Amino acid sequence: MSRSFPCAVLLLLAGVVPAHAQQEDRQAWEQLNVIVPLTKRVRVTLEQIARTSDRQGGIYTTEYGGLLGWQVARGVEFGIGYRRVGFHSENRAADEDRLRQQIVFNRGRLAGRFRIDERFSTVGSGIGVRIRPLLRYNLPLGRPRLALFASHESFLLPNSTRWGQRAGYERMRNILGVALPLGKALNADIGYLNQYRFGRAGARPQMDHALSVQLTLNLGALGVAVLHD
């Protein structure tokens, strides 16, 4: 195995995952993507997400949406999309509608995404903006589409809203996992996800430990990789 991968993992996790969180939660995250080509450079991705939490008593978040992607250059894709987000069980947050714009790139073993979300709450006015940069390193394991990977994503909130969003550095997500080909058109990303929510405005910080499973069915579209959400 290349020495660069363990070094990249250590640099990714050292200093970004706090040694102790005041409260912790065990979770399971599932995501299904179906990619449909429209033209050689344009594709639609249909998305479904469900997240389960021990602390919140079952499925606490669901998301359904779509993303229109346009490959503007080799290894570079621009996308716009919409999601409907529902909260369940002990998650008392109000449902949301979300718009997003993003740029995704692939360069060798590195992949990245820069996303901007606009959040619309169903209980109040005001648009909550989120900036979400993500970086991922892939280590090929000899077979096509088989690789180890590590990724980091930060959530930066530039504004506050009356319905609850508070400006600042809200959270980070780090994942260690394996990318697996399950068939000619089906891929899976399976790994350990660590999410840390900073304690702000009197709230306790929280660390989530999640099994993350993402399945992607590609019906023939070209373009850059689909990264974990």
Side-chain angles (χ1 to χ4, degrees):
M1 179 181 295
S2 169
R3 293 182 180 179
S4 62
F5 181 72
C7 291
V9 171
L10 290 175
L11 289 173
L12 177 70
L13 297 179
V16 299
V17 177
H20 177 72
Q22 292 188 22
Q23 59 184 1
E24 300 189 15
D25 190 16
R26 294 184 178 90
Q27 301 189 3
W29 292 26
E30 169 270 329
Q31 179 167 349
L32 174 63
N33 307 303
V34 178
I35 305 175
V36 181
L38 298 182
T39 70
K40 186 176 181 180
R41 292 195 173 189
V42 179
R43 62 181 183 171
V44 170
T45 302
L46 304 176
E47 306 157 317
Q48 175 270 328
I49 290 173
R51 294 172 183 164
T52 302
S53 161
D54 282 352
R55 289 187 67 248
Q56 302 196 66
I59 295 177
Y60 72 99
T61 299
T62 56
E63 302 184 19
Y64 300 92
L67 185 75
L68 180 66
W70 174 36
Q71 187 176 1
V72 296
R74 183 176 180 182
V76 180
E77 182 179 84
F78 175 74
I80 56 174
Y82 164 80
R83 275 209 185 130
R84 176 68 175 187
V85 182
F87 299 109
H88 315 278
S89 300
E90 297 301 316
N91 190 342
R92 304 304 183 187
D95 293 351
E96 296 180 14
D97 295 293
R98 294 178 186 169
L99 301 178
R100 59 203 151 121
Q101 307 82 44
Q102 66 183 36
I103 296 177
V104 181
F105 73 88
N106 287 115
R107 286 291 184 272
R109 296 183 178 184
L110 289 177
R113 180 180 68 211
F114 184 82
R115 172 180 289 176
I116 298 177
D117 288 338
E118 292 88 31
R119 305 169 65 198
F120 300 83
S121 175
T122 56
V123 297
S125 60
I127 302 173
V129 178
R130 295 196 305 191
I131 301 172
R132 299 173 50 180
L134 180 150
L135 185 64
R136 169 167 163 160
Y137 178 83
N138 300 288
L139 179 66
L141 295 180
R143 291 176 51 195
R145 296 154 48 209
L146 178 64
L148 297 177
F149 71 88
S151 70
H152 169 79
E153 183 176 20
S154 289
F155 287 67
L156 310 171
L157 281 54
N159 73 313
S160 300
T161 66
R162 291 183 178 180
W163 48 262
Q165 176 166 300
R166 296 187 297 273
Y169 187 10
E170 183 201 29
R171 76 182 83 170
M172 65 177 76
R173 289 178 186 165
N174 300 292
I175 308 176
L176 294 174
V178 58
L180 297 168
L182 300 181
K184 184 177 180 180
L186 184 63
N187 298 311
D189 282 359
I190 303 173
Y192 164 71
L193 182 148
N194 181 285
Q195 176 171 259
Y196 186 79
R197 299 173 182 264
F198 296 94
R200 301 186 300 142
R204 297 173 63 190
Q206 177 168 317
M207 182 179 288
D208 302 322
H209 306 277
L211 170 65
S212 173
V213 178
Q214 175 175 269
L215 299 176
T216 300
L217 178 64
N218 190 330
L219 300 180
L222 302 177
V224 299
V226 175
L227 299 178
H228 188 279
D229 194 276

